Amino acid sequence: MINKELKILGISKANLGTSTGTKQFAKGKFITSYSPVDGKEIAQVQCTTKKEYEKVIETAQQAQLSWRNIPAPQRGEIVRQLGDKLRQLKPTLGKLVSYEMGKSYQEGMGEVQEMIDICDFAVGLSRQLYGNTIHSERPGHRMYDQYHPLGIVGIISAFNFPVAVWSWNAALALVCGDVVVWKASEKTPLCAIACQQVLAEILKQNKLPEGISSLITGDAEVGNWLSEDKRIPLISATGSTRMGKEVAVKVAQRLGKTLLELGGNNAIIVTEEADLKMTLIGAVFGAVGTAGQRCTSTRRLIVHEKIYEQVKKSLVDAYKQLKIGDPLDSKNHMGPLIDQDAVAMYSKAVQSIKAEGGKILVKEEVLKGKGYESCCYVRPVIAEVENHFAIVQAETFAPILYLIKYKGDVENAIALQNEVAQGLSSAIMTTNLRQAEIFLSQNGSDCGIANVNIGTSGAEIGGAFGGEKETGGGRESGSDAWKVYMRRQTNTINYTTSLPLAQGIKFDF
């Protein structure tokens, strides 16, 4: 089904493995990529061995020595070419994302658009890697700070955004003068190979060295090699909180740097003064988009008691209209979960809801029969719960929406929202300015993302993306997120013939 797209993207049996550019090599065990759309095998990909990993890192080290000396605007030119190539390949790569991961085709193309957008952002950034000038307390001295490349950036990405997260990191790291080594999810290896092929061809056309962008393939063991490697100053890891904690410990033990973008348990607060039409659209897309497998997916809907019954009825009615099926068919609203393990997690979560006393409003179901051969399609669930339920406090990567009632002022709703371990995305639906401003204040949402009158899901690349608490504290994409990919240096220049010391210290002899 996807053979034409693989060919256009330059993927063949010859390059299904480790890569330091246009050179592919792998001798490890095989992993098989199955499509959750129809359950069919797409391809087998060979994993990276430890010996091959060492070759990748050595090649990356050599490439970085020359790459860092290329002026930043010229590095930006390479990223510009990547963005232009992605524009040409958007429908093709979007289809591969949809077929291998299971998200809708529109979402797949939207993910490629994110890649294009971050390339555009990074190109402009390549002329804006600003430091500050600082007034010295000593006469005849000048101070400033500047930023230098870190070296190798290790990227560990998850299945749910198999191409965008790599681009958020790679585009910024490259203009900052770093080289990248990417360990993609073993559930979506072909998307990673496609991205590596595209960038590798651009590097080759520009006569740039192997190793500026490298791909390693495998399971958690390969990720551990990156995390424990002292030659890699920064690890950017996206995935579960459990995974992030393991990475953080390993990197901290060698005093490396981490950029962690981990789990979310995102809520929309719906006040008594909300626009309910907007609320319904934001909540439904947030809950069922990507089959609830976004880190920004809406997990909890915290609704004021005055409008609770009305919101509940509207949601249940809306869910009856949802079409579930092949994500490449634009008529469908929701595709499959990534695999059978995800389906089992969905079913287990529903049982936990019932065991804790929750009420299922839209019943769970694993869909079977024609069009559902992969057995990865499920019916999205709505459940009435209490915020303190253990299952509600956890992140479930599935289309399960928890409906929670609150009473009184908006501060009560904010307290419920913040009463979870995760702190990624949040939103409030209200036409009341006071409520909106309280939500955005220091006494409001404790999340890295706080929205007013839009949902929790979907973010523009111009803003920094990430969250607090067990979400990890990292920031990717826009704003000044580029600074994490560079080392900061403070410089003081004395242009006099004397040597005064700071703080007025005297040291004469």
Side-chain angles (χ1 to χ4, degrees):
M1 182 176 182
I2 206 78
N3 289 337
K4 178 183 176 183
E5 285 71 23
L6 295 178
K7 186 175 181 180
I8 293 172
L9 293 166
I11 300 177
S12 66
K13 289 184 178 180
N15 58 27
L16 292 177
T18 310
S19 172
T20 57
T22 54
K23 293 179 183 176
Q24 286 82 29
F25 52 94
K27 297 180 180 178
K29 64 183 180 181
F30 285 94
I31 56 174
T32 303
S33 175
Y34 293 98
S35 171
V37 175
D38 52 21
K40 294 180 180 178
E41 177 182 320
I42 309 174
Q44 290 191 330
V45 178
Q46 206 157 16
C47 296
T48 304
T49 65
K50 192 64 165 67
K51 183 177 180 180
E52 291 164 350
Y53 171 82
E54 289 298 324
K55 182 178 179 181
V56 166
I57 300 303
E58 289 169 8
T59 305
Q61 284 181 305
Q62 288 300 311
Q64 208 269 329
L65 294 177
S66 58
W67 180 244
R68 69 185 182 187
N69 287 321
I70 295 173
Q74 292 183 27
R75 299 194 296 256
E77 167 59 18
I78 300 303
V79 175
R80 185 196 65 79
Q81 293 178 33
L82 174 61
D84 284 352
K85 189 64 178 177
L86 290 170
R87 284 180 170 86
Q88 298 173 23
L89 295 172
K90 180 178 175 180
T92 304
L93 183 55
K95 187 173 182 180
L96 176 60
V97 169
S98 178
Y99 188 64
E100 188 175 34
M101 185 269 150
K103 63 177 59 177
S104 74
Y105 181 48
Q106 285 299 315
E107 289 184 79
M109 289 210 295
E111 187 171 343
V112 180
Q113 186 61 49
E114 283 190 55
M115 301 176 77
I116 296 166
D117 292 344
I118 196 63
C119 285
D120 288 349
F121 180 89
V123 172
L125 182 65
S126 68
R127 295 180 182 270
Q128 301 177 74
L129 302 174
Y130 300 137
N132 297 309
T133 58
I134 305 160
H135 289 282
S136 173
E137 68 185 56
R138 290 168 284 185
H141 286 60
R142 181 167 66 88
M143 295 177 65
Y144 66 91
D145 57 21
Q146 61 178 332
Y147 292 84
H148 295 303
L150 275 177
I152 301 174
V153 172
I155 303 170
I156 300 172
S157 63
F159 73 86
N160 58 332
F161 280 85
V163 297
V165 170
W166 169 76
S167 70
W168 292 354
N169 287 276
L172 297 191
L174 290 174
V175 299
C176 289
D178 303 319
V179 299
V180 295
V181 177
W182 181 19
K183 190 275 174 192
S185 170
E186 59 269 37
K187 296 182 180 183
T188 51
L190 295 177
C191 288
I193 292 169
C195 293
Q196 174 68 6
Q197 283 292 109
V198 172
L199 181 52
E201 188 59 35
I202 291 169
L203 295 171
K204 181 181 179 182
Q205 291 169 1
N206 285 272
K207 297 182 173 55
L208 291 166
E210 298 279 340
I212 291 175
S213 174
S214 302
L215 177 67
I216 54 176
T217 305
D219 55 19
E221 181 183 25
V222 179
N224 287 337
W225 297 341
L226 282 177
S227 300
E228 295 171 351
D229 198 327
K230 293 181 180 180
R231 296 165 294 183
I232 305 175
L234 172 65
I235 298 293
S236 175
T238 302
S240 68
T241 296
R242 176 197 57 76
M243 178 276 292
K245 287 180 178 179
E246 293 176 1
V247 170
V249 169
K250 290 181 172 65
V251 178
Q253 285 176 336
R254 59 178 177 85
L255 297 181
K257 298 171 66 176
T258 55
L259 191 170
L260 301 176
E261 199 286 285
L262 309 174
N265 194 347
N266 316 295
I268 298 177
I269 294 171
V270 186
T271 79
E272 70 277 23
E273 298 185 57
D275 181 320
L276 296 187
K277 182 178 180 181
M278 290 172 57
T279 297
L280 188 64
I281 295 170
V284 174
F285 176 75
V288 306
T290 321
Q293 296 172 116
R294 293 187 177 207
C295 52
T296 56
S297 289
T298 304
R299 310 285 175 204
R300 297 174 295 146
L301 208 61
I302 302 170
V303 185
H304 194 276
E305 61 177 348
K306 288 183 179 179
I307 56 169
Y308 182 84
E309 292 300 327
Q310 184 180 356
V311 170
K312 179 170 73 172
K313 182 180 184 305
S314 296
L315 279 170
V316 171
D317 289 344
Y319 269 50
K320 292 176 182 177
Q321 301 174 50
L322 293 176
K323 295 182 175 62
I324 306 163
D326 184 346
L328 294 170
D329 184 343
S330 61
K331 295 178 183 177
N332 292 322
H333 299 100
M334 194 182 94
L337 293 173
I338 184 66
D339 56 22
Q340 289 292 308
D341 288 341
V343 174
M345 181 175 62
Y346 157 90
S347 298
K348 184 178 179 181
V350 172
Q351 294 310 309
S352 296
I353 295 167
K354 294 175 180 178
E356 292 193 70
K359 180 181 179 182
I360 304 297
L361 301 177
V362 176
K363 189 179 178 182
E364 77 281 4
E365 182 183 5
V366 179
L367 303 177
K368 298 179 180 179
K370 187 176 181 181
Y372 304 125
E373 287 83 2
S374 69
C375 297
C376 292
Y377 294 86
V378 301
R379 193 168 299 286
V381 169
I382 302 175
E384 285 185 298
V385 298
E386 297 293 334
N387 199 60
H388 61 81
F389 286 3
I391 188 61
V392 178
Q393 292 287 312
E395 179 190 39
T396 301
F397 236 46
I400 300 175
L401 179 63
Y402 300 120
L403 204 53
I404 300 164
K405 184 188 298 185
Y406 83 93
K407 301 178 181 180
D409 294 334
V410 71
E411 287 88 348
N412 296 332
I414 292 171
L416 288 171
Q417 179 207 275
N418 294 345
E419 204 174 69
V420 294
Q422 310 82 2
L424 179 52
S425 187
S426 59
I428 188 170
M429 293 291 184
T430 182
T431 57
N432 183 305
L433 179 61
R434 175 185 170 276
Q435 292 176 336
E437 291 295 338
I438 290 173
F439 177 75
L440 298 176
S441 75
Q442 69 273 12
N443 300 316
S445 170
D446 64 1
C447 296
I449 299 169
N451 299 326
V452 176
N453 290 329
I454 61 172
T456 62
S457 188
E460 297 182 31
I461 61 90
F465 182 89
E468 301 301 320
K469 301 190 294 190
E470 287 195 357
T471 301
R475 294 297 185 274
E476 296 173 307
S477 191
S479 187
D480 64 349
W482 62 272
K483 291 181 179 179
V484 76
Y485 303 95
M486 306 194 83
R487 59 182 177 89
R488 183 172 179 167
Q489 183 182 79
T490 300
N491 308 116
T492 305
I493 301 166
N494 177 3
Y495 56 90
T496 72
T497 56
S498 62
L499 187 61
L501 300 178
Q503 291 84 48
I505 295 172
K506 300 296 182 182
F507 189 74
D508 298 324
F509 59 89

